[in-house]
Amino acid sequence: MKPNTRVINYVSLIQDGVLTLDDVPQDIKKEVTKILRYLSGVTDDGMVKDNTTPSDNEGNEIKVPVPGTLLTKKAGE
């Protein structure tokens, strides 16, 4: 079943940060949640947090840049 325009409009507003899922009317909340989960890549029903940290071959933690930040190297690094 394809989502209707009303559902897509709410999904867009939530993704833009204008609304939260609590602001969605009850009659379409389930559909909006389903689409949001699909678009965010959630594949299961659990809310399991990924605790793995990327590391190099020597076991040193690799610092992952935060999107939208500028990376600069300090002298001696």
Side-chain angles (χ1 to χ4, degrees):
M1 185 173 126
K2 294 180 183 180
N4 62 31
T5 305
R6 184 173 173 224
V7 171
I8 295 299
N9 287 342
Y10 275 100
V11 168
S12 299
L13 289 170
I14 291 171
Q15 287 180 324
D16 289 343
V18 176
L19 296 176
T20 64
L21 195 54
D22 294 333
D23 299 324
V24 177
Q26 284 294 327
D27 62 325
I28 61 170
K29 194 171 207 170
K30 185 176 179 181
E31 294 175 62
V32 170
T33 303
K34 183 173 124 182
I35 299 296
L36 285 170
R37 291 175 59 84
Y38 173 79
L39 293 175
S40 66
V42 176
T43 57
D44 62 357
D45 290 332
M47 296 298 285
V48 179
K49 183 179 179 184
D50 183 15
N51 289 331
T52 59
T53 305
S55 61
D56 61 11
N57 292 337
E58 298 173 3
N60 298 324
E61 182 179 326
I62 298 174
K63 295 186 179 182
V64 180
V66 177
T69 61
L70 178 63
L71 297 176
T72 57
K73 254 189 164 177
K74 296 179 184 175
E77 287 189 336

